[in-house]
Amino acid sequence: MRPHEPYSENNSDVESVGSVRRGDRRPFSGPISSTSKPRKNAKFDLSSSSSSSSPKAADADDTYVEITLDIRDDSVAVHSVHTAGADHDPNTLDDPELSLLAKRTLEKQSSSFRASVLRSTSSRFKQVSQELKRFTSLNRRTSTRRLDRTKSAATHALKGLKFIAAKTGGGKTSPSWAPVEKKFDELTASTNGLLPSSLFGECIGMNKDSKEFAGELFRALARRHNITDDAINKSQLREFWDQISDDSFDSRLQTFFDMVDSDADGRITEEEVEEIISMSASANKLSTIQKQAKEYAALIMEELDPGNAGYIMIHNLETLLLQAPNQSVRVSDSRVLSQLLSQKLKPTNESNPIIRTYDKFQYFVEDNWQRIWVIMLWLGICAGLFAYKFIQYRHRAVFKVMGYCVCIAKGGAETLKFNMALILLPVCRNTITWLRNKTKLGVIVPFDDNLNFHKVIAVGISVGVGLHALAHLTCDFPRLLDATDEQYKPMEPFFGKEQPDNYWWFLKGVEGITGIIMVILMAIAFTLATPWFRRNKLNVPESLKKLTGFNAFWYSHHLFVIVYALLVVHGIFLYLTKEWYKQTTWMYLAVPVVLYGCERLIRAFRSGIKPVKILKVAVYPGNVLALHMSKPHGFKYKSGQYMFVNCRDVSPFEWHPFSITSAPEDDYLSVHIRTLGDWTRQLKTVFSEVCQPPQAGKSGLLRAEFMQGGAQNPKFPKILIDGPYGAPAQDYKKYDVVLLVGLGIGATPMVSIVKDIIDNMEEKEANANAMENGQGGHSSRGGSKHGKGFRTRKAYFYWVTREQGSFEWFKGIMNEVAEMDERGVIELHNYCTSVYEEGDARSALIAMLQSLQHAKSGVDVVSGTRVKSHFAKPNWRQVFKKITLHHPDTRVGVFYCGAPALTKELSQLASDFSRKTSTKFEFHKENF
């Protein structure tokens, strides 16, 4: 269970229903005697053969689970599900997903379940009723404690108060002292065995961002142990370590209370709460919460100090921690619980290496068959052309002088001509977009990999250049220079009557000069296109900075205009081919060059006749610039597509691609641009100059809007656009279920998609209503065409970002989707990775605050939206697992946009679950 979810009432004890078979898919419906009193713990065997099962079967703990229920007067809730016997194993952890699904399943069926509880006379669950009655009599006495600590709630609270991570030590659940002792010895080597408080956090494994939090923890522990010095020795550190690594709830609660209670008077004032909120927010890089610490402290005091005493005690804090979490995920069918109990959904490892290798090969072919046939076809053509020229020159007179070297040189040259023509096709974006949208070729041709194929062809060009140049320079020319007069005589028609006597003869000719210049220009362009230069990954002197980055890549690639011109000239002035019809270079290049030239002309023509007007500009935290502009007449696009943007105030020549974040039904276009390079940085600067700080209620750091009829509208820089162009995410409509994953600014195409899904669902509903009323099947928006081919009925959107400020980028859109999505078609999940994982004491107070604020106002304290945020990174296996169990026998489209780091994991999970389950995941990526 997550410590930051909303809480339910905690005034109940727990029934622990144990030993339920994982394979049993029948929901629990046995009779339970009605009573208004809470019950104590009890365990029951509910297996179908409980009365006749063998001892061997009974001991097979791995085939059983234990479900812990909260049974109240009018409801039944599930707190946890774990393996039987977990009570005796302190290392056994609850499965939060099982708990969640069990809880939601039983809550949905609560009305029918309670009715069944009262009237059913099934003999199978008679034991349950008898045991409940027996424990009811044991619970009639009044509890002396203010609060009942249910097992599930206490476990949840313990997870929310971990002061050290398991990775600090050697065990999975119990951190070891040995690494801490070793670190102590390193840090105190020069301090006579005394560890100053400033190094305490580093010693116990906390990072530098938690230095303030670690300092407060040190002071709390020092007060508890009556230590007044600002440094401790090893024995004192061991005492500290024993306390913070203690698994007992009382110990962790007391330590946390001591941290908040800075003056050690046993009471927590509002000022102390504010201080710990500010400290926790700082450790988790939550600047917004840090600024509003006073407001949030008042909220906590309002909740825990209703009598306005001005302070709270430890039992008040205990009340908040022990409340059971409440997850907000829907579960529609009780069989999902049964499936979860019986499936691990983890790929098994084949022990036989031959079978394992064969399986890997088979899976590889299944996942990459489109790429494989394209690459094989390309390699086949290159090999055929090479072989054709090789054999041709094997039977020519020059072979007697130059040997196989000339065959290799000419074979490499033929593949080079082919690849120089082919490399232009993957970047003919208008053509590819038309083929993707208007034909069925997308079934067999991987259009999404156009840029990857472009890079592969570039490698082929490099190989061709190497074979051609090296064979000529190191073999052909030396042999020609060393040839005897008799051997040279057949070469006179090609090289002249005078035999060359040095290398300079070959280099000074048109063939040599054009060849050398082409090699130099291609080497520059290829080098600056590598990720190290293009993404500024190299540490180069400041004077060489201009040679790195996107600008250097973009301009150097235009050197190929010169390269292609020289290639045509080089192909005309050949040494060994004089007939024009045998000089085939121009024949290879003609169609691709004309096609690519038309593409560039279309961009210039289209951007010129379709001007856009800037409507709104906003600068957001995280260096993000949002541009809202008018939609040109006839500009039709699909969600997930992108367009090129040009700003003449920055550069009249550069065009940069950005995903469209508005939906096709919107009357405007919008893009969100993160400043990652020179051009985007300058673009943000020129727009920031016309912006002002936002008015109250407006988001962003800076804003500017065009007001119709306004007297003093800002003078925005001129923007040109070109597009739209096809992208992987545009195919989401082909799937019944989609999983959308955006990493940082990679959420941009996904935001457009979730808006489009809502628009399509509304349109579909409007058309259905119109049909019922006899008004035809067209909505007022004329959307029957827009909704053509729309199949999506469920979408899961996961947005993972490092910074809290990132949530402002799409704050309005998130709230809009949350309000419009009445049927729960879209599940929105925001993850802030700067916050420590749910369970870390550094985020415990943030989790409490999040629950209180969301319950009170419906607004999340981290994201500032109606969508509740999660901490740290998602468990992607659990995400796929949930989708698999909710959507069996379904094709699920997985669309990822972001940095390449997550691509491999998501792709592997999609493959694993597709092979092991009836749900088929199809992975699509868009990296930047």
Side-chain angles (χ1 to χ4, degrees):
M1 296 293 182
R2 301 187 184 280
H4 67 286
E5 300 291 354
Y7 303 118
S8 60
E9 295 179 10
N10 59 348
N11 56 347
S12 66
D13 289 311
V14 171
E15 280 299 342
S16 183
V17 183
S19 304
V20 179
R21 287 191 181 278
R22 293 181 185 268
D24 190 357
R25 300 193 177 191
R26 289 166 292 185
F28 177 84
S29 60
I32 302 180
S33 58
S34 177
T35 177
S36 60
K37 300 289 186 180
R39 281 84 170 175
K40 292 295 183 181
N41 291 353
K43 293 183 179 180
F44 312 101
D45 187 355
L46 302 182
S47 62
S48 58
S49 57
S50 59
S51 59
S52 59
S53 59
S54 65
K56 182 178 179 180
D59 292 337
D61 285 344
D62 59 336
T63 63
Y64 294 89
V65 295
E66 180 178 294
I67 304 176
T68 305
L69 303 175
D70 256 353
I71 301 179
R72 305 186 178 95
D73 293 344
D74 59 349
S75 66
V76 176
V78 175
H79 272 309
S80 64
V81 180
H82 50 74
T83 56
D87 289 335
H88 308 293
D89 184 2
N91 295 328
T92 302
L93 299 176
D94 292 348
D95 185 336
E97 187 176 6
L98 298 185
S99 305
L100 162 62
L101 291 173
K103 177 175 182 178
R104 285 298 173 189
T105 301
L106 292 181
E107 283 181 348
K108 182 176 179 181
Q109 299 177 346
S110 60
S111 58
S112 60
F113 180 78
R114 289 192 298 271
S116 170
V117 165
L118 297 174
R119 66 173 179 267
S120 176
T121 56
S122 170
S123 59
R124 180 183 176 190
F125 296 106
K126 189 173 182 180
Q127 179 188 3
V128 178
S129 179
Q130 293 171 345
E131 292 291 336
L132 284 174
K133 289 178 181 179
R134 180 171 66 85
F135 278 95
T136 299
S137 63
L138 297 176
N139 192 50
R140 295 190 181 276
R141 65 182 184 275
T142 303
S143 175
T144 57
R145 291 188 57 84
R146 181 185 180 278
L147 183 68
D148 287 322
R149 290 185 179 180
T150 64
K151 177 181 176 180
S152 58
T155 302
H156 156 68
L158 281 172
K159 288 181 180 179
L161 283 178
K162 283 194 302 183
F163 291 95
I164 45 179
K167 65 182 180 181
T168 304
K172 290 184 178 180
T173 58
S174 55
S176 170
W177 160 253
V180 179
E181 184 178 24
K182 181 179 179 181
K183 192 68 176 178
F184 175 88
D185 293 336
E186 294 176 2
L187 296 174
T188 60
S190 59
T191 57
N192 297 323
L194 292 177
L195 179 72
S197 61
S198 58
L199 298 178
F200 176 70
E202 181 181 354
C203 186
I204 64 173
M206 289 186 177
N207 58 28
K208 294 180 179 179
D209 294 328
S210 304
K211 187 173 183 179
E212 187 179 358
F213 187 92
E216 194 61 42
L217 176 60
F218 177 91
R219 288 186 287 274
L221 294 169
R223 289 193 298 268
R224 173 62 53 180
H225 293 273
N226 296 320
I227 297 174
T228 57
D229 295 334
D230 195 43
I232 54 175
N233 55 36
K234 184 182 292 188
S235 62
Q236 291 170 328
L237 176 63
R238 182 58 191 263
E239 292 177 3
F240 285 14
W241 177 258
D242 289 341
Q243 182 171 339
I244 61 178
S245 61
D246 191 338
D247 285 338
S248 71
F249 176 76
D250 285 316
S251 176
R252 291 188 183 181
L253 176 64
Q254 186 64 59
T255 302
F256 190 75
F257 184 86
D258 290 344
M259 282 187 63
V260 184
D261 183 22
S262 57
D263 58 4
D265 63 352
R267 300 176 178 182
I268 300 177
T269 64
E270 185 170 335
E271 289 74 17
E272 290 172 327
V273 173
E274 179 184 347
E275 183 180 351
I276 198 69
I277 288 176
S278 178
M279 191 183 307
S280 297
S282 174
N284 291 280
K285 300 179 182 177
L286 301 175
S287 57
T288 304
I289 294 180
Q290 193 171 7
K291 293 175 183 176
Q292 297 176 292
K294 187 176 184 66
E295 175 186 339
Y296 291 135
L299 175 64
I300 290 181
M301 295 300 292
E302 178 184 346
E303 175 72 16
L304 299 184
D305 182 27
N308 294 321
Y311 59 86
I312 57 177
M313 305 292 287
I314 191 169
H315 63 78
N316 300 115
L317 195 60
E318 181 182 8
T319 301
L320 190 60
L321 286 168
L322 285 176
Q323 294 186 75
N326 178 27
Q327 298 280 359
S328 57
V329 179
R330 305 174 183 90
V331 176
S332 59
D333 195 345
S334 61
R335 68 181 169 80
V336 175
L337 172 61
S338 300
Q339 288 177 327
L340 256 180
L341 299 180
S342 60
Q343 296 185 40
K344 287 292 185 183
L345 296 181
K346 291 184 178 179
T348 55
N349 292 324
E350 174 61 51
S351 57
N352 189 319
I354 298 177
I355 297 178
R356 185 167 64 247
T357 303
Y358 173 77
D359 287 343
K360 287 183 178 180
F361 176 76
Q362 182 182 9
Y363 295 152
F364 176 80
V365 173
E366 289 176 0
D367 292 339
N368 300 279
W369 68 269
Q370 291 177 311
R371 300 182 182 94
I372 290 173
W373 85 260
V374 171
I375 293 297
M376 294 302 294
L377 176 63
W378 173 69
L379 289 175
I381 293 174
C382 290
L385 292 173
F386 183 90
Y388 161 69
K389 279 296 178 181
F390 188 95
I391 295 172
Q392 185 185 73
Y393 275 82
R394 173 68 178 79
H395 296 93
R396 291 186 63 172
V398 294
F399 179 78
K400 296 179 180 179
V401 177
M402 299 183 181
Y404 285 104
C405 297
V406 71
C407 299
I408 294 174
K410 289 300 181 179
E414 200 69 14
T415 64
L416 175 60
K417 290 185 285 186
F418 169 69
N419 285 325
M420 285 295 288
L422 184 64
I423 200 170
L424 294 174
L425 299 183
V427 290
C428 291
R429 292 182 172 86
N430 285 298
T431 304
I432 292 176
T433 300
W434 184 87
L435 292 172
R436 181 199 292 268
N437 295 338
K438 303 298 182 180
T439 71
K440 300 294 184 182
L441 285 176
V443 176
I444 60 173
V445 179
F447 289 122
D448 295 345
D449 292 318
N450 62 319
L451 292 183
N452 289 332
F453 189 45
H454 179 78
K455 297 172 185 176
V456 170
I457 298 172
V459 174
I461 290 174
S462 301
V463 173
V465 169
L467 290 174
H468 182 71
L470 291 176
H472 272 329
L473 295 174
T474 63
C475 186
D476 290 339
F477 297 163
R479 285 192 176 204
L480 192 63
L481 293 173
D482 296 337
T484 63
D485 293 340
E486 183 179 354
Q487 290 175 325
Y488 181 77
K489 192 169 185 63
M491 301 293 100
E492 290 180 358
F494 310 111
F495 297 96
K497 293 184 178 181
E498 297 267 345
Q499 181 178 358
D501 56 357
N502 55 55
Y503 256 84
W504 176 244
W505 189 95
F506 298 104
L507 298 181
K508 70 180 180 180
V510 175
E511 303 92 333
I513 293 174
T514 54
I516 292 172
I517 295 175
M518 280 192 295
V519 170
I520 293 173
L521 295 181
M522 291 169 71
I524 294 173
F526 285 1
T527 301
L528 297 182
T530 58
W532 300 283
F533 283 90
R534 183 179 178 180
R535 298 182 181 276
N536 286 316
K537 292 183 178 180
L538 294 177
N539 291 324
V540 296
E542 193 65 31
S543 58
L544 299 179
K545 281 289 185 181
K546 291 291 184 180
L547 297 180
T548 63
F550 185 86
N551 283 357
F553 154 77
W554 194 87
Y555 285 111
S556 65
H557 248 54
H558 284 74
L559 293 174
F560 275 97
V561 175
I562 303 174
V563 170
Y564 277 100
L566 293 174
L567 182 61
V568 173
V569 174
H570 187 81
I572 295 174
F573 293 88
L574 294 177
Y575 289 122
L576 302 176
T577 304
K578 301 303 181 181
E579 300 85 352
W580 71 269
Y581 57 87
K582 292 183 179 180
Q583 296 169 349
T584 57
T585 303
W586 66 272
M587 299 179 188
Y588 277 104
L589 299 179
V591 173
V593 168
V594 170
L595 181 62
Y596 183 75
C598 290
E599 291 259 341
R600 300 303 294 262
L601 290 175
I602 289 173
R603 168 180 292 178
F605 180 71
R606 185 165 53 188
S607 62
I609 66 172
K610 292 185 177 180
V612 295
K613 180 184 297 183
I614 299 297
L615 304 176
K616 183 173 66 175
V617 175
V619 178
Y620 292 109
N623 290 321
V624 168
L625 172 69
L627 299 179
H628 291 243
M629 61 198 79
S630 60
K631 182 193 291 187
H633 179 71
F635 189 93
K636 297 179 181 179
Y637 64 97
K638 298 179 180 179
S639 288
Q641 292 185 329
Y642 67 95
M643 65 183 183
F644 280 84
V645 176
N646 169 271
C647 180
R648 294 187 176 181
D649 288 8
V650 177
S651 171
F653 306 109
E654 293 185 48
W655 293 79
H656 293 259
F658 300 101
S659 296
I660 303 173
T661 53
S662 53
E665 287 295 315
D666 293 334
D667 57 0
Y668 63 90
L669 289 174
S670 68
V671 291
H672 287 68
I673 302 169
R674 187 162 195 178
T675 55
L676 297 174
D678 299 336
W679 187 88
T680 52
R681 193 175 298 113
Q682 293 174 37
L683 183 72
K684 178 191 169 188
T685 300
V686 298
F687 274 99
S688 297
E689 292 173 355
V690 298
C691 294
Q692 301 292 332
Q695 299 176 358
K698 299 285 187 177
S699 61
L701 303 175
L702 297 171
R703 291 179 71 92
E705 296 186 38
F706 175 84
M707 305 298 294
Q708 195 69 33
Q712 295 181 343
N713 279 319
K715 187 177 181 180
F716 294 113
K718 186 177 181 180
I719 288 290
L720 300 178
I721 64 171
D722 175 45
Y725 292 104
Q730 75 175 59
D731 295 327
Y732 83 92
K733 291 183 181 181
K734 299 178 182 178
Y735 299 93
D736 297 323
V737 179
V738 293
L739 170 60
L740 310 173
V741 180
L743 198 62
I745 198 63
T748 47
M750 312 309 172
V751 167
S752 177
I753 289 174
V754 296
K755 290 179 66 179
D756 193 38
I757 291 175
I758 295 297
D759 289 340
N760 275 278
M761 296 299 293
E762 286 186 338
E763 178 183 319
K764 193 174 181 181
E765 185 176 346
N767 288 337
N769 293 336
M771 289 289 290
E772 291 179 1
N773 297 330
Q775 299 175 0
H778 299 276
S779 68
S780 60
R781 295 182 295 185
S784 58
K785 183 177 179 181
H786 170 67
K788 184 179 179 181
F790 179 76
R791 298 176 53 182
T792 308
R793 53 186 172 82
K794 185 68 177 181
Y796 300 86
F797 176 34
Y798 285 79
W799 183 20
V800 184
T801 183
R802 288 194 302 264
E803 303 164 351
Q804 182 189 16
S806 303
F807 293 116
E808 283 198 38
W809 303 346
F810 308 114
K811 183 177 180 179
I813 297 174
M814 289 290 184
N815 286 330
E816 180 183 350
V817 172
E819 291 173 5
M820 295 171 62
D821 186 23
E822 297 177 355
R823 297 189 176 185
V825 176
I826 302 173
E827 279 192 17
L828 302 175
H829 299 270
N830 293 338
Y831 280 81
C832 186
T833 58
S834 70
V835 184
Y836 288 95
E837 63 181 347
E838 292 152 351
D840 195 297
R842 286 166 286 189
S843 62
L845 201 64
I846 303 299
M848 300 177 207
L849 182 59
Q850 184 188 45
S851 297
L852 291 176
Q853 177 73 359
H854 201 274
K856 180 180 180 181
S857 63
V859 177
D860 182 65
V861 295
V862 177
S863 68
T865 69
R866 295 180 59 185
V867 182
K868 200 164 188 182
S869 300
H870 305 279
F871 301 161
K873 298 178 181 179
N875 184 330
W876 293 114
R877 177 167 291 279
Q878 293 300 320
V879 171
F880 277 81
K881 184 177 178 182
K882 183 181 74 171
I883 295 175
T884 298
L885 295 175
H886 282 73
H887 306 284
D889 303 311
T890 305
R891 284 175 66 242
V892 179
V894 182
F895 298 92
Y896 169 68
C897 183
L902 194 55
T903 302
K904 184 177 180 181
E905 180 181 0
L906 293 178
S907 177
Q908 187 63 50
L909 286 170
S911 298
D912 289 345
F913 279 82
S914 294
R915 295 163 191 154
K916 301 295 180 180
T917 70
S918 63
T919 305
K920 303 306 175 187
F921 293 89
E922 297 182 12
F923 181 70
H924 309 267
K925 66 178 176 66
E926 187 176 354
N927 296 138
F928 54 78

